Amino acid sequence: MAMPPYHGSAMGGILEPVHDEDDSLLGQFIPLHYHGQMLADERRMAPFHEAIERLVPDGAHVVDLGGGTGVLSFFAAKRARKVTTVERLPHVAEAARRLLSSNGVAGKVTVVVADAREFMPEEPADVVLCELLHVALVREKQVEVLKSFKARHLAKFNRRIPLIIPEASLLAVQPIFQPYDFLGYHAPVPLFLEPGSLATTTVELGPPKVYAAVEYVQELPEEFCFDELMPIEVTGTLNALRFVTKNVVGIFPEEARSVDWHMQYLSMPLLEPLAVKAGSEVRVTFEYRAGTSVETLRSCVKATLA
């Protein structure tokens, strides 16, 4: 699951350098003491609760990849015949067993200590839950885990997975001016801000542009590439790009709506600020692999005057 504010996550800031090869800080390695803030985040929890409650078929076998403390498995157990929860860290898996038992669903949920990139159940999955999410799909292993699981599931059972929750992620980028002054200390660092009131100091210089729509039951991209001219609508200083991520957790076609989780904005500072004028364009480029580090993304982001 996504990590909490102070540990470089979908839900907060980055305090330590992260390197692609340092796998211990990526994906399925979130200690128990970080999970409380995720459980308390209603904007995250509510859409998963509604989607699982409404979309998981009665009698289904649900596999929860990277299950953490087991809350999504608990939601699924209300409808499913069987839930298999996969958690890599033994102490988190043990906490999940304890919590699932105290919540009365231990008879339906099996907690397995395993790497979600390698685990395969004994029977096919009707629904897969996977919340290894981060802004821009960096840092955590959502794409890698699902890509591997889907391929091996098809090979073993000759059956595609009909439903994955969340169903999709929409990734966008936007030119902005972001203040990086903290009581007189100027520090242009990757900054995570809640959508809405806490991001009011940000100046939006142009509209956001969607650069990827990832549908998890479809073929999954391993790389994201962007090289486009973006319009500037406000005169000012372009010193950062805002990365916006909306996770479409569940889709209800009969109601023509979805339940969504808008993750924190990531304001990624540019190496060199640009003076821009309304009516002009800037060329924005970046290229990164899904699951790469925040610092790697920062190193490849560029903006130049068109």
Side-chain angles (χ1 to χ4, degrees), residues 6-299:
Y6 41 83
H7 207 260
S9 76
M11 304 174 66
I14 178 93
L15 295 182
E16 80 287 350
V18 180
H19 305 288
D20 289 345
E21 67 275 14
D22 193 357
D23 196 47
S24 66
L25 293 177
L26 298 173
Q28 308 164 67
F29 298 87
I30 304 176
L32 181 62
H33 53 277
Y34 291 134
H35 283 267
Q37 293 186 16
M38 294 185 287
L39 292 168
D41 186 352
E42 187 174 347
R43 285 179 297 182
R44 168 183 175 267
M45 296 286 284
F48 277 99
H49 180 263
E50 183 176 359
I52 293 169
E53 188 175 63
R54 295 190 56 182
L55 296 177
V56 171
D58 290 330
H61 175 213
V62 177
V63 176
D64 185 0
L65 299 174
T69 55
V71 63
L72 302 188
S73 295
F74 168 69
F75 295 156
K78 296 178 181 180
R79 297 179 58 86
R81 168 182 54 84
K82 175 182 178 180
V83 181
T84 303
T85 303
V86 185
E87 170 56 44
R88 181 158 184 172
L89 291 182
H91 77 285
V92 178
E94 182 56 36
R97 291 191 188 99
R98 183 177 68 252
L99 292 170
L100 289 163
S101 177
S102 67
N103 281 276
V105 296
K108 280 191 172 184
V109 184
T110 300
V111 179
V112 179
V113 178
D115 187 329
R117 293 171 292 190
E118 301 171 357
F119 174 79
M120 185 55 48
E122 292 302 316
E123 62 177 278
D126 301 302
V127 180
V128 168
L129 311 176
C130 187
E131 198 280 86
L132 297 170
L133 291 163
H134 192 286
V135 177
L137 293 183
V138 300
R139 202 171 191 276
E140 295 208 53
K141 300 297 187 181
Q142 179 84 358
V143 170
E144 180 182 344
V145 165
L146 284 174
K147 194 177 185 70
S148 172
F149 187 86
K150 286 166 58 180
R152 290 179 293 108
H153 189 276
L154 181 61
K156 180 175 181 177
F157 300 113
N158 193 28
R159 178 179 170 184
R160 297 183 183 276
I161 300 163
L163 176 64
I164 296 175
I165 297 176
E167 298 200 47
S169 293
L170 301 178
L171 313 181
V173 65
Q174 183 177 21
I176 62 169
F177 169 75
Q178 178 65 55
Y180 288 111
D181 292 298
F182 307 95
L183 296 179
Y185 186 65
H186 183 67
V189 295
L191 185 62
F192 293 80
L193 294 170
E194 296 292 344
S197 60
L198 293 182
T200 54
T201 57
T202 305
V203 179
E204 298 178 341
L205 301 177
K209 172 73 174 179
V210 174
Y211 64 89
V214 181
E215 298 180 63
Y216 290 110
V217 296
Q218 304 298 332
E219 185 67 24
L220 295 176
E222 296 186 51
E223 295 189 357
F224 301 107
C225 302
F226 188 82
D227 184 351
E228 293 193 26
L229 294 177
M230 302 192 71
I232 297 297
E233 297 179 347
V234 177
T235 298
T237 299
L238 171 62
N239 71 342
L241 295 176
R242 171 192 278 175
F243 285 85
V244 180
T245 304
K246 181 174 82 169
N247 298 304
V248 183
V249 182
I251 301 172
F252 311 125
E254 69 281 1
E255 300 173 19
R257 73 177 184 93
S258 62
V259 286
D260 306 320
W261 174 24
H262 292 262
M263 305 184 89
Q264 285 193 328
Y265 295 145
L266 167 57
S267 293
M268 187 66 77
L270 298 172
L271 294 178
E272 295 293 337
L274 295 174
V276 294
K277 295 183 178 181
S280 65
E281 292 180 316
V282 293
R283 182 187 178 194
V284 173
T285 62
F286 53 83
E287 181 177 354
Y288 67 93
R289 292 183 63 85
T292 195
S293 70
V294 173
E295 287 302 317
T296 299
L297 173 60
R298 182 184 183 184
S299 69

